[in-house]
Amino acid sequence: MTSLGLRLFILALFYVFTVYCRPTVVHLRNMDSFIRAVQQVEESNPGLSPLALVRALRRTAGHDDAMTIHFLGASSNLTDAEVLETAILNASSFSFFDKAIHHLVTDHGEERGVVLAPDGTTVALAPLLLGIESGLKSKMEETPADGIIPLTLGRTLGLSFLSLQDFPPSHRMGPNGCWDSVSHPKVFKLIRPATPATEAVINGGMDGAILGTDLSNLSASEQPQALSEILKGYYSFILHEGQGLDDVTSHISPRRREISRSILGALDLHSQVMATLALVWKLENTEWIALDTEVGMAVKDGLQAFVHKYLDCPQIIPRCQWGAKPYRGTPVPLSLPLQFLYVHHTYEPSSPCLSFAKCSKDMRAMQRFHQEDRGWSDIGYSFVVGSDGYVYEGRGWNHLGTHTRGHNDIGYGVSIIGNYTATLPSHHAMNLLRHSLARCAVDGGGLITNFTIHGHRQAVNYTTCPGDAFFSEIRGWEHFRE
């Protein structure tokens, strides 16, 4: 046995001992825990390149399928030094990283290989890391970044569209789910049966495409940061008082959809997905499917639904994620489409919320006030917009709200958190309401095409809502009518 082989054998024995003989430790399934674990590996292996580390993580999770190898090479094709570093990684951290990265959905609807990001969204790590590895390989080896879109989104979307052709296009992707706890997340359960492209997989794919593209576009003089720093910069940001996302030009997770729209909009996405499917079938020697008209139409319909749901519509944080209490009684269904969009401000809470934690706390406070002090069945608004980059689900698309007395059954009530009597919400928050949410409602059948925007005060004469400053602003919006 060579010296290298002996050292690897000893490390393998150490791995068996550490994984199977140490006390069981329950790790929180959030992005911060994953970043800390990555940072520990980096600190214990000085000089470990981010490309070598992300390859090692791929090897740990067993993600060497034919298409990944086609674009990135086999994760075992490393130098002797990198093999040793990979063995050390496996020996000390294999169990954690394997469970954290390896994606699957159990028979009971639990989705694994996903983590809760600090912004409140759920991300699958496998497509995220494949995108990062694609970008690093392109940068470090000066090769084309051809694998970024196929490995992050193309394959997953294409296979979902084809495997679920009997489903409506919008149901060939998703669903989202709920964590057992947002403060100590351990179990993530989907709200309905999974497709290959769950919400977390699509989030991870978009993030991987964004970060991979950023890394591949680094100038010749720029060196990529450590993997932990790449992830921190994207996920562990802090928004400061002022204009929230208005002043942010860097790529961070709350801007996932708008950045993805910019990247993907520059591509012929239909051709990308069709080419990816052709490559999958070639590499896997699949002969029973041909790239015919029927396949092309399934991809076309699926991509239209994808663009609507994940690029045009804003990310909506579901009730379970912000900690909503149950509706009291039986929700009353709305008769869609509606004619009006009623704009509110919350007044109290009076300050914009700039983080998932603060916005969720504000949502719970408003629901408690509406249910306990006012005696309503639930939080009154249909949706609430935070200054953290997200829309929060209230009564939602399909249920009658309690937001605009005498008009609840003919319109949605949408509020922006804060008091806008003298100041305006951030431009980003207003655009979420004015453009993204409104367009999503029209395209999804919730609002008629020529819907009307009214401020709350126009329908109810005893209120100044949505504040003088904000009301003056919305009077210049398309669809506003006196």
Side-chain angles (χ1 to χ4, degrees):
M1 182 180 293
T2 65
S3 174
L4 175 61
L6 178 61
R7 295 176 71 182
L8 290 175
F9 177 73
I10 293 171
L11 286 168
L13 290 179
F14 176 64
Y15 157 69
V16 171
F17 176 81
T18 55
V19 171
Y20 292 103
C21 300
R22 67 187 175 194
T24 301
V25 177
V26 178
H27 293 280
L28 297 181
R29 288 170 57 188
N30 56 30
M31 184 63 76
D32 288 340
S33 293
F34 180 75
I35 293 174
R36 284 195 297 270
V38 168
Q39 192 168 7
Q40 288 172 359
V41 172
E42 291 168 340
E43 290 171 352
S44 62
N45 293 271
L48 180 65
S49 73
L51 180 57
L53 177 52
V54 79
R55 277 177 176 163
L57 292 174
R58 170 159 61 99
R59 184 181 182 190
T60 300
H63 289 163
D64 266 7
D65 56 83
M67 198 174 90
T68 303
I69 292 173
H70 173 81
F71 285 112
L72 302 178
S75 60
S76 58
N77 291 344
L78 310 174
T79 67
D80 286 353
E82 289 172 329
V83 169
L84 279 176
E85 289 165 340
T86 302
I88 292 170
L89 169 65
N90 287 346
S92 61
S93 311
F94 179 91
S95 180
F96 172 79
F97 285 118
D98 179 46
K99 291 177 181 177
I101 300 170
H102 189 78
H103 184 267
L104 62 91
V105 178
T106 70
D107 293 339
H108 302 290
E110 180 188 344
E111 188 172 14
R112 299 176 181 173
V114 301
V115 294
L116 177 63
D119 65 359
T121 59
T122 301
V123 176
L125 290 171
L128 165 66
L129 294 174
L130 287 175
I132 291 173
E133 184 177 350
S134 297
L136 288 170
K137 183 176 186 294
S138 172
K139 163 63 180 173
M140 302 308 294
E141 299 180 3
E142 298 182 353
T143 56
D146 296 336
I148 293 179
I149 300 301
L151 291 172
T152 56
L153 289 169
R155 173 174 51 183
T156 299
L157 291 176
L159 294 177
S160 291
F161 300 155
L162 294 191
S163 63
L164 300 168
Q165 288 190 63
D166 294 335
F167 287 74
S170 62
H171 282 70
R172 298 175 198 170
M173 297 164 290
N176 204 344
C178 301
W179 287 95
D180 55 339
S181 166
V182 294
S183 58
H184 294 84
K186 298 174 185 175
V187 178
F188 185 71
K189 295 201 72 172
L190 298 172
I191 58 176
R192 60 177 172 82
T195 72
T198 65
E199 182 115 338
V201 169
I202 291 176
N203 284 341
M206 288 194 287
D207 292 348
I210 292 167
L211 292 174
T213 300
D214 287 349
L215 290 164
S216 70
N217 289 335
L218 289 175
S219 68
S221 62
E222 292 179 287
Q223 290 300 310
Q225 295 177 300
L227 178 59
S228 62
E229 293 302 315
I230 293 170
L231 296 173
K232 283 180 186 178
Y234 187 75
Y235 293 107
S236 300
F237 56 89
I238 297 176
L239 296 177
H240 299 286
E241 293 292 339
Q243 291 302 302
L245 285 170
D246 286 358
D247 297 329
V248 176
T249 58
S250 59
H251 287 180
I252 58 176
S253 56
R255 298 182 59 216
R256 171 187 295 123
R257 295 194 176 197
E258 62 186 273
I259 302 167
S260 295
R261 188 186 305 114
S262 175
I263 292 173
L264 299 176
L267 305 173
D268 182 348
L269 201 52
H270 185 271
S271 296
Q272 287 266 345
V273 173
M274 292 292 284
T276 300
L277 289 174
L279 179 61
V280 170
W281 296 329
K282 176 183 177 181
L283 294 173
E284 296 180 359
N285 296 314
T286 303
E287 299 177 356
W288 57 273
I289 297 180
L291 288 175
D292 55 17
T293 302
E294 184 178 353
V295 172
M297 287 302 299
V299 171
K300 179 182 177 181
D301 291 344
L303 285 174
Q304 287 178 343
F306 167 73
V307 169
H308 164 71
K309 187 173 182 180
Y310 291 101
L311 301 184
D312 290 342
C313 287
Q315 176 83 56
I316 297 175
I317 303 294
R319 293 170 60 88
C320 62
Q321 198 79 330
W322 59 260
K325 291 185 179 298
Y327 186 98
R328 293 178 177 175
T330 302
V332 178
L334 287 166
S335 180
L336 303 178
L338 306 179
Q339 302 173 54
F340 291 88
L341 179 62
Y342 297 108
V343 176
H344 299 247
H345 70 164
T346 61
Y347 189 75
E348 290 290 345
S350 60
S351 298
C353 62
L354 297 171
S355 68
F356 166 67
K358 181 61 166 62
C359 294
S360 297
K361 182 179 179 181
D362 288 347
M363 291 295 292
R364 293 191 295 272
M366 285 187 287
Q367 185 189 41
R368 185 166 54 249
F369 174 71
H370 289 175
Q371 286 185 322
E372 297 178 6
D373 290 34
R374 294 191 167 176
W376 297 348
S377 300
D378 198 359
I379 188 171
Y381 306 116
S382 305
F383 297 97
V384 178
V385 179
S387 294
D388 62 336
Y390 293 107
V391 176
Y392 288 75
E393 181 185 23
R395 301 285 181 102
W397 295 118
N398 299 307
H399 296 138
L400 184 73
T402 313
H403 47 80
T404 312
R405 181 175 293 180
H407 301 74
N408 293 310
D409 60 341
I410 59 173
Y412 292 116
V414 182
S415 190
I416 298 183
I417 292 177
N419 177 355
Y420 300 109
T421 302
T423 60
L424 285 176
S426 70
H427 289 292
H428 195 279
M430 289 191 290
N431 286 336
L432 279 178
L433 192 168
R434 177 185 181 183
H435 297 303
S436 298
L437 190 66
R439 180 174 61 237
C440 184
V442 171
D443 293 345
L447 282 175
I448 62 174
T449 303
N450 61 336
F451 69 94
T452 295
I453 288 179
H454 274 169
H456 185 196
R457 64 174 67 182
Q458 291 175 267
V460 180
N461 59 16
Y462 58 79
T463 181
T464 60
C465 179
D468 291 344
F470 192 17
F471 184 65
S472 294
E473 167 69 22
I474 70 170
R475 293 178 74 172
W477 290 5
E478 183 184 5
H479 294 284
F480 177 86
R481 293 180 179 88
E482 293 289 354

